[in-house]
Amino acid sequence: MAYEEAKKKLRGSICPVITPFLENGDLDIETFQQLIHWQIESGSHGISVTGTSGEPSSLTIEERKRVMKIASETIAGRVFFAPGTGSTNHDETMELTKYAEELGADAAMVIVPYYNKPNQDALYTHFKIVAESVKIPIIIYNIPGRSAVNMEVTTMKRLVEDCPNIVGVKEANKDFEHVNRVLLNCGRDFLLYSGIELLCYPMLAIGGAGFISATANVEPAKVAELYNAWVAGNVERSQDLHFELMPLNDALFRDTNPAPAKIALGMMGKINPKLRLPLGPPSQAVTDEVRQTLISLDILPKETASQL
């Protein structure tokens, strides 16, 4: 595969679509497909599933495969597809990443294993073996707040040098100095995506390829417009959208993602906001803040909100 072509294609606002459930906890396939159609119609440039927002640790391996397959079929090549295939388990990560390749995914997003807390040499070996098992592009997902381990820039650089299909990283890392050093060490053409909502705009300014933002689940058009405005050279509009989205970004992370996002989508009539244990619904205070934020941004009409 021509990885240089992939680096040109895999850019923009990638929505990490939530996994909707029926009231009995089963996958809500019809609603899931509707969410993907809505994302594409709203301007999202790419779709990811079974990442953090998709509750992958609450899904079985077979459920993850089913979600990936349905997503791939629903997208039908209209935008690029980069499912999350990582796990705490190395063999599961291999299995899911190979399955993403079988489906024809444009890339696979592989998380730094959570809970295990591997050292840097173990991280290198894990990612190298996974990358070498497939030919599709690999996007590292570095989220130290969830995994309790930060992939150091030196480790990432080693992987980029040794694995040509490791083409980028989703940095859910609040250390902006770290993400600057990623591009310095891994190359300016390395695809750097923000996984921190308040850093989506700043990362574009240093040469980022886009963002994989949970907020796009709720306000996909404006999140995509932020990227489009930047690419078009309309810096002022990008800045305006950055600050306009801040209250929503804040509200959606008052509790563990994706609980507030699911509450918001429930208020919008998009989904049943069901979560699988051990996750549970946010507090009434967080729910009220989400509701008021949706009203203030004209996402939710006041007359609708008063009935919730």
Side-chain angles (χ1 to χ4, degrees):
M1 182 174 186
Y3 299 115
E4 292 308 313
E5 292 181 14
K7 287 183 178 181
K8 294 177 182 178
K9 178 180 181 181
L10 303 174
R11 294 175 177 271
S13 175
I14 305 166
C15 182
V17 178
I18 60 99
T19 303
F21 300 118
L22 299 169
E23 189 56 38
N24 66 2
D26 290 345
L27 296 174
D28 186 347
I29 300 304
E30 183 178 351
T31 297
F32 179 61
Q33 292 173 311
Q34 291 171 355
L35 289 175
I36 291 175
H37 288 310
W38 178 54
Q39 284 293 326
I40 296 171
E41 291 163 3
S42 298
S44 291
H45 306 97
I47 297 292
S48 184
V49 297
T50 64
T52 303
S53 299
E55 298 175 70
S57 58
S58 297
L59 303 175
T60 67
I61 293 295
E62 291 309 311
E63 284 178 324
R64 289 186 67 170
K65 286 183 175 181
R66 188 179 180 202
V67 168
M68 289 163 59
K69 185 174 189 295
I70 291 167
S72 179
E73 292 171 349
T74 306
I75 294 165
R78 290 178 290 169
V79 296
F80 64 83
F81 178 44
T85 61
S87 165
T88 58
N89 183 293
H90 176 76
D91 289 341
E92 288 180 2
T93 301
M94 293 277 285
E95 181 179 345
L96 288 167
T97 305
K98 289 178 180 179
Y99 187 67
E101 182 174 47
E102 289 175 22
L103 290 175
D106 296 287
M109 187 170 64
V110 182
I111 194 169
V112 169
Y114 39 95
Y115 182 77
N116 300 6
K117 297 182 70 175
N119 63 32
Q120 295 298 308
D121 284 339
L123 273 183
Y124 169 83
T125 302
H126 168 68
F127 274 90
K128 186 171 187 290
I129 292 172
V130 172
E132 289 178 342
S133 73
V134 295
K135 294 182 179 179
I136 59 172
I138 298 293
I139 298 167
I140 297 166
Y141 181 9
N142 192 26
I143 180 169
R146 291 262 191 168
S147 63
V149 172
N150 181 47
M151 181 180 284
E152 296 174 3
V153 173
T154 52
T155 304
M156 206 174 295
K157 181 180 180 181
R158 285 178 67 196
L159 285 166
V160 171
E161 290 174 345
D162 295 344
C163 306
N165 62 328
I166 294 182
V167 299
V169 61
K170 175 186 177 181
E171 280 286 359
N173 196 322
K174 293 183 178 181
D175 184 348
F176 198 59
E177 181 177 332
H178 167 93
V179 297
N180 275 269
R181 296 191 185 283
V182 166
L183 286 184
L184 177 67
N185 286 272
C186 295
R188 298 277 292 278
D189 64 339
F190 192 59
L191 301 177
L192 173 67
Y193 307 96
S194 177
I196 297 291
E197 277 60 28
L198 296 190
L199 294 183
C200 288
Y201 171 73
M203 282 202 197
L204 291 177
I206 64 168
F211 26 82
I212 305 172
S213 168
T215 302
N217 276 292
V218 177
E219 184 67 299
K222 286 186 178 178
V223 175
E225 187 188 352
L226 193 159
Y227 177 84
N228 292 337
W230 174 262
V231 171
N234 192 342
V235 174
E236 184 175 357
R237 179 58 179 160
S238 292
Q239 291 174 338
D240 287 346
L241 286 163
H242 168 72
F243 288 106
E244 183 179 336
L245 288 165
M246 278 183 66
L248 182 59
N249 292 333
D250 289 341
L252 294 181
F253 284 86
R254 294 298 187 206
D255 201 336
T256 303
N257 178 45
K262 281 195 160 184
I263 284 291
L265 287 167
M267 292 176 183
M268 295 163 65
K270 297 285 187 183
I271 67 167
N272 177 338
K274 176 78 174 179
L275 294 151
R276 280 185 178 176
L277 291 171
L279 290 179
S283 68
Q284 189 61 51
V286 171
T287 300
D288 290 343
E289 181 181 354
V290 170
R291 181 186 296 109
Q292 291 304 314
T293 303
L294 295 180
I295 293 170
S296 69
L297 294 174
D298 293 325
I299 297 172
L300 193 65
K302 289 183 180 180
E303 56 272 21
T304 302
S306 65
Q307 300 171 11
L308 298 173

